[in-house]
Amino acid sequence: MLRILLIFRLMHGIQLAVTVPGIAGHLPHRGRALLLLIAVVAESVWFVGHITRNHRRVIADDTERREGPGGRPDPQDTRRDTRQDTPRTTPRATPQATPPTTYDGPAAGVELCSAVAFLWACALVLGPHRSQDMAPLLVLTTEQISAAGIGSALGQPRRVLIVATCAIAASYAAVIALGDGGPQALAHSDVLIGLTGYGALAYLIRRGAKFLLQLAADLGDMSLQLHEQEQRKLLAIELHNHLGHTLNAFQRIDASDPEQIDSLRKSAVVARERLATFIGTGRFSESVPLIGMVHRQVALATNDTLTVEPIVTERVVGAAARVLPSQVELLEAALRAALINVPRSAGVHDAVLHVDLVEDADGAGLVELVVTDEGVGFPPGVLARGVGAMRSLALHDRLLRERGGALRVRSVAGFTQVTLTLPIQRDSTTEPSQGGVG
């Protein structure tokens, strides 16, 4: 709402700068007119500074409310609040001061009282052509009523808007009636439009602001729902890739094999650490660059008795910074699922992971991860139904496709390839080089 209020005031400033020179030449009291102009400018400067400071207080209060006293999210504050400028109506367990708003009581008081005062000042400053020469101040008063309408939508008492609108309209009518045209001037069409326009403007601005605030609240709810759905997806992936895999390993363990027991113990420790990280930070693991993620998954695979040989091309090394953290997280979950399948389903304990940067048909860059093993492969019936029929990979395929990527499987007896691709940001300043590093 701060931007809307500032835009309204900027529009008035431009209109004032355009119209004042045209009427300055025939004003009967130029000294008084200059004082009135200074008062108008001073009120505008104060108003802009005041609502800007209030907006900063709103942001600081919202940040403190969300992060809590220790700089972390406050678990006790579960109120839905998607409007920074709106007073929160759901109370906490402990009393607190009224939160700040951008358009507060002092702003409304100064705005609306100055509107009435400026209109009455016209009777002392302007000449017989008062109805025409008042145009700059009329624009100011409409802006002030518009701001009051927004303030009413943000929580200011509606009676303030009603009383102020009536007072401004009455002041305008009185100033016109006291001019040379007398009370008969009130019957002019432009005056009647001005008088009725005050009330219509106050009503429409208030309704429009309330609609925008409700729309913002609905969009905030939608964003929250999408975030919750994303968190459920991440939790489902985690349950399959780590906790579920560890529990399945418990069922197949040979208690007489110390290597299996040690491997299972490491997997359980990793699963516990990831859950603890998720509870504390909302993420299952520390965010790392693409190359670090690859080596982390290679190391984790050893807990599943899988030896992975990573082959990372120099093209990827040069372009790794263009892979966003969210993309790395998405690729890591899919890669983890693919690596888990090798010892569990393919029946082998060796695989090759090839990481490269390729181009699609349009020349856009794609990061590509290919897991290759020489196991038994997927059953032909499952391959015929596509990746969507593969319980362990279907979710990752859908998530990758939502972001323009893909998950493809090629499999025959003795050879299986799972390929993950995801678009990355373009970089026209560098030309990818050839070659690879192990």
Side-chain angles (χ1 to χ4, degrees), residues 77-338:
D77 191 354
T78 57
R79 297 168 298 170
R80 187 193 73 179
D81 184 9
T82 58
R83 299 170 292 174
Q84 283 186 338
D85 293 328
T86 307
R88 291 107 186 182
T89 57
T90 304
R92 289 190 180 185
T94 57
Q96 63 174 1
T98 302
T101 59
T102 298
Y103 190 90
D104 58 1
V110 172
E111 276 261 278
L112 300 174
C113 290
S114 63
V116 173
F118 292 155
L119 286 175
W120 280 103
C122 292
L124 303 175
V125 173
L126 303 181
H129 304 289
R130 185 176 301 172
S131 59
Q132 290 79 24
D133 294 343
M134 286 176 63
L137 286 177
L138 291 180
V139 174
L140 174 61
T141 55
T142 57
E143 182 275 330
Q144 291 167 321
I145 288 181
S146 299
I150 294 175
S152 178
L154 294 175
Q156 292 294 322
R158 186 168 55 178
R159 63 178 179 275
V160 173
L161 176 63
I162 296 175
V163 171
T165 302
C166 294
I168 291 174
S171 299
Y172 173 60
V175 171
I176 295 297
L178 293 175
D180 293 343
Q184 293 79 9
L186 295 176
H188 293 173
S189 59
D190 55 344
V191 176
L192 292 176
I193 292 175
L195 290 173
T196 57
Y198 281 128
L201 181 66
Y203 174 78
L204 293 176
I205 290 293
R206 183 176 186 275
R207 288 294 300 271
K210 289 181 73 68
F211 172 78
L212 290 177
L213 291 172
Q214 184 60 48
L215 179 61
D218 293 341
L219 291 175
D221 286 344
M222 185 182 300
S223 175
L224 180 60
Q225 292 174 5
L226 291 175
H227 176 71
E228 291 175 349
Q229 292 176 5
E230 191 69 21
Q231 290 296 100
R232 284 196 292 268
K233 292 177 183 178
L234 292 175
L235 187 57
I237 292 172
E238 182 68 15
L239 290 174
H240 175 269
N241 287 355
H242 290 274
L243 294 179
H245 176 65
T246 302
L247 293 175
N248 287 334
F250 268 109
Q251 296 176 347
R252 301 191 304 267
I253 188 173
D254 182 359
S256 62
D257 187 344
E259 291 185 1
Q260 287 192 31
I261 295 176
D262 183 62
S263 174
L264 188 58
R265 181 186 63 81
K266 293 178 180 179
S267 296
V269 170
V270 170
R272 183 192 65 190
E273 291 176 348
R274 290 175 64 84
L275 278 178
T277 303
F278 178 76
I279 293 172
T281 66
R283 304 175 62 93
F284 285 104
S285 59
E286 180 184 357
S287 180
V288 295
L290 177 65
I291 307 301
M293 179 274 289
V294 169
H295 289 293
R296 177 163 67 187
Q297 288 303 313
V298 169
L300 286 175
T302 59
N303 296 336
D304 305 317
T305 67
L306 175 64
T307 301
V308 180
E309 178 186 355
I311 302 175
V312 182
T313 67
E314 292 180 1
R315 287 187 291 266
V316 174
V317 174
R322 292 158 51 193
V323 186
L324 301 176
S326 59
Q327 295 176 315
V328 173
E329 184 177 357
L330 186 63
L331 288 169
E332 183 170 22
L335 176 60
R336 173 66 179 169

Side-chain angles (χ1 to χ4, degrees), residues 337-355:
L339 293 177
I340 285 175
N341 273 333
V342 175
R344 186 170 66 185
S345 302
V348 294
H349 298 278
D350 295 281
V352 176
L353 172 58
H354 190 268
V355 186

